[in-house]
Amino acid sequence: MSYDLFQDLPGPAGTEPLGEGASLLHGFARDAAPALLAAMHGVLDQAPLRHWQTSGGYTLGVAMSNCGPVGWVSDARGYRYQPIDPLGNAPWPALPPCFAELARAAAAAAGYPGFEPDACLINRYERGTRLSLHQDRNERDFAHPIVSISLGLPAVFLFGGAARSDKPRRFRLEHGDVAVWGGATRLAYHGIAPLAAGTHPLTGPYRYNLTLRRAR
């Protein structure tokens, strides 16, 4: 396995601040991970992973799917949430209770009590896959935080500022870590550096990310 990307990053230390109103909860979802992964695979049996295209015709390298009343999609019309999976022309699978329960607990631990997600974007990364800096801004109300659960291979999380040109800080994400951000950093640019090669006992050569939001 090759984890050279992590050699200059700090290791787990409980709750690590990412910025104002943003926290990295190390190991918060580790015990729940087997249940989360089982529920995730149940979702993917109904709504398989796919690679969305952007309005400019670019194919996203991260494989994605959704669950909950609405799901995030991208195509020639742009980015948006919608209740119907365009791949199967059916409603997205229901949000698993364990997803919502973990997201509520993590949000509360990070200072955002009362969070009730209605959308979960599932991302799968493989060796070399990256997610460029972007904002989560397709949601209706930015008063709600973002809860991002890491499962499987480790990754480098890039967390920047309000402008794309702001240099992002780099944070090590391990299996079971949960990042929560809102308030002053709700629209912070963020991304994932190219995934290093490796094998995880629960996910094999992949990293999965569950991003829970209040979209409507």
Side-chain angles (χ1 to χ4, degrees):
M1 291 182 283
S2 175
Y3 297 139
D4 293 343
L5 286 170
F6 308 123
Q7 60 186 0
D8 61 341
L9 300 180
T15 298
E16 184 177 2
L18 298 173
E20 184 180 352
S23 300
L24 178 54
L25 311 177
H26 288 289
F28 193 88
R30 190 177 297 129
D31 290 346
L36 294 171
L37 286 166
M40 181 195 74
H41 286 299
V43 167
L44 298 181
D45 286 342
Q46 302 174 64
L49 292 161
R50 74 292 305 264
H51 294 271
W52 297 121
Q53 286 199 331
T54 68
S55 58
Y58 173 74
T59 299
L60 297 175
V62 179
M64 300 180 177
S65 189
N66 293 279
C67 56
V70 292
W72 185 88
V73 303
S74 176
D75 56 23
R77 294 167 52 197
Y79 306 139
R80 65 191 181 280
Y81 285 96
Q82 65 181 45
I84 299 298
D85 177 0
L87 189 65
N89 197 31
W92 296 104
L95 186 69
C98 62
F99 284 19
E101 180 181 355
L102 195 288
R104 284 193 292 266
Y112 299 98
F115 176 57
E116 290 294 338
D118 63 2
C120 177
L121 177 64
I122 300 170
N123 287 354
R124 189 189 71 185
Y125 297 79
E126 56 187 271
R127 179 181 181 178
T129 303
R130 62 187 292 268
L131 191 61
S132 60
L133 291 175
H134 65 282
Q135 295 173 301
D136 287 0
R137 59 178 311 118
N138 298 120
E139 298 73 37
R140 184 173 297 175
D141 186 350
F142 298 150
H144 303 285
I146 304 295
V147 176
S148 179
I149 304 167
S150 292
L151 300 169
L153 288 178
V156 174
F157 183 47
L158 308 173
F159 196 74
R164 188 186 297 274
S165 59
D166 293 338
K167 183 178 180 180
R169 297 174 63 199
R170 299 165 69 245
F171 297 89
R172 179 187 180 107
L173 293 178
E174 296 276 7
H175 174 68
D177 288 350
V178 182
V180 182
W181 64 97
T185 53
R186 171 59 180 75
L187 291 177
Y189 277 88
H190 58 282
I192 294 290
L195 193 73
T199 301
H200 190 276
L202 294 181
T203 66
Y206 301 116
R207 171 184 182 263
Y208 291 94
N209 194 82
L210 310 176
T211 304
L212 291 111
R213 308 180 178 103
R214 184 75 188 181
R216 299 177 301 174

